[in-house]
Amino acid sequence: MNLQTFIAQYWPLLLLVLWFGYKWWNARRVKAMLPRLKAQGATLVDVRSPGEFAAGHAEGSVNIPLPELGSRLGEIPKDRPVVVACASGTRSGVARMMLRRKGYAQVYNIGNWTNLRG
């Protein structure tokens, strides 16, 4: 099997691998930046459900479930970095896009909430 045939046959799997690879790389990058972001007064937002948050969360994080994010923007300062987290990085990725569209300049997706522990 040549490379073109392989890509034509397995492109969905390759795309999935690239997506998860990007999520992993980005989460590591933001985790490395976390001490600096915290020193700048970052707001740590966990967008999981209240039940997930109650089962475990990072100290200093605030729980704003993704479906409530749009109506609770007043709780998130625009003049400081915002670090969003969830269970896998998918919901927090959506939250990051939403916040960026609402004018938040410094929004970082750290992926899994356990990465907020520093």
Side-chain angles (χ1 to χ4, degrees):
M1 176 182 303
N2 66 29
L3 183 60
Q4 279 185 323
T5 305
F6 180 82
I7 292 172
Q9 188 170 357
Y10 294 104
W11 70 266
L13 179 61
L14 293 171
L15 193 59
L16 189 63
V17 167
L18 286 172
W19 170 245
F20 281 108
Y22 169 75
K23 281 177 45 172
W24 173 83
W25 171 81
N26 187 63
R28 287 181 53 93
R29 180 182 67 84
V30 176
K31 188 174 178 179
M33 296 169 55
L34 191 58
R36 179 177 57 85
L37 295 170
K38 284 182 175 180
Q40 294 173 353
T43 302
L44 310 177
V45 180
D46 188 326
V47 297
R48 296 177 299 149
S49 71
E52 289 173 294
F53 188 80
H57 60 273
E59 185 178 332
S61 62
V62 60
N63 182 224
I64 303 178
L66 184 59
E68 298 175 15
L69 186 60
S71 64
R72 294 179 60 186
L73 293 176
E75 298 175 39
I76 306 170
K78 282 189 173 182
D79 61 345
R80 291 184 289 182
V82 179
V83 181
V84 290
C86 65
S88 70
T90 302
R91 285 177 283 180
S92 53
V94 172
R96 180 185 179 277
M97 287 189 308
M98 287 175 63
L99 290 169
R100 296 282 300 175
R101 281 193 214 130
K102 295 293 185 178
Y104 290 80
Q106 298 181 68
V107 186
Y108 303 90
N109 179 5
I110 200 164
N112 189 291
W113 70 270
T114 59
N115 291 331
L116 288 172
R117 294 182 187 164

